[in-house]
Amino acid sequence: MTGNPEQGDVDVVGMWRTADGHIRQELRADGRYEEARGSRSRAYTGRYTVTGSHIDYVDDSGFTATGDIRDGVLFHEHLVLHREEKQA
């Protein structure tokens, strides 16, 4: 589950990118994520859950990570990602 905005959980669904675009993380509505690094698509895949503005990740290989949304910015471990504008 990706979280429930009606209960105060932040909506995180969409594409998030580092400023240089090297790392791209797609957070899908089904609670799955795919992370691309450079030309390597799907470098990491797994599932995530949202509680408030906190994200817990569990990669398909078993490792875990966390992130937090502050002022519309995703701080994921040592990365700083910004949401990509949705195309109309």
Side-chain angles (χ1 to χ4, degrees):
M1 180 177 171
T2 60
N4 185 345
E6 293 176 6
Q7 295 178 353
D9 295 339
V10 174
D11 175 17
V12 299
V13 173
M15 181 66 73
W16 296 80
R17 298 176 177 267
T18 55
D20 63 4
H22 181 74
I23 298 174
R24 300 162 314 279
Q25 190 176 90
E26 180 184 11
L27 300 177
R28 301 184 343 206
D30 65 357
R32 299 280 304 163
Y33 73 88
E34 292 184 3
E35 186 173 302
R37 291 183 175 239
S39 62
R40 186 175 168 209
S41 64
R42 296 184 55 137
Y44 299 99
T45 60
R47 57 187 162 78
Y48 72 93
T49 57
V50 177
T51 306
S53 61
H54 180 80
I55 305 173
D56 288 298
Y57 297 85
V58 179
D59 189 81
D60 290 337
S61 67
F63 74 83
T64 61
T66 62
D68 291 288
I69 304 285
R70 293 192 303 272
D71 296 324
V73 177
L74 171 54
F75 296 88
H76 171 61
E77 299 297 333
H78 66 283
L79 302 173
V80 177
L81 300 109
H82 299 271
R83 191 189 300 247
E84 183 178 273
E85 294 296 320
K86 294 181 181 179
Q87 301 298 319

